[in-house]
Amino acid sequence: MDLFDVLDANKRVNAENWLTQISVQAAPNLNEEDFRRFIGSLRKEAGHMTKQTPKFDEAGFEALKMQLKIGL
């Protein structure tokens, strides 16, 4: 286990907790634009805004084709 992975996961958990608490407590005190920026930065810290695109596995695809061809 890598220490930096643990610290990164802890940072995401803390940001998620902030998102949960802030929606009720701070919303009435901020104007709309400040609230959007604040929530956006917390969502980024929590990892909500990262896009994960699947990568095509050429070897796996060829193996699947061969299995389908021989009827497995």
Side-chain angles (χ1 to χ4, degrees), residues 3 8 10-12 37 42 44 52 58 60 69:
L3 179 61
D8 190 42
N10 186 39
K11 181 177 72 169
R12 285 194 309 271
R37 280 188 285 166
L42 288 175
K44 186 176 179 182
Q52 297 176 351
E58 183 85 30
K69 188 180 274 188

Side-chain angles (χ1 to χ4, degrees), residues 8-71:
D8 190 42
N10 186 39
K11 181 177 72 169
R12 285 194 309 271
V13 168
N14 287 339
E16 188 74 39
N17 290 338
W18 268 97
L19 279 171
T20 303
Q21 294 174 7
I22 201 72
S23 62
V24 175
Q25 294 175 358
N29 299 329
L30 295 173
N31 67 26
E32 186 175 345
E33 185 59 31
D34 290 339
F35 183 72
R36 285 179 194 238
R37 280 188 285 166
F38 184 60
I39 293 298
S41 67
L42 288 175
R43 291 186 69 194
K44 186 176 179 182
E45 286 286 323
H48 287 245
M49 302 183 85
T50 57
K51 291 185 180 180
Q52 297 176 351
T53 56
K55 295 183 179 178
F56 182 70
D57 182 13
E58 183 85 30
F61 181 72
E62 292 300 325
L64 178 63
K65 276 183 17 182
M66 289 302 295
Q67 287 178 355
L68 290 174
K69 188 180 274 188
I70 61 173

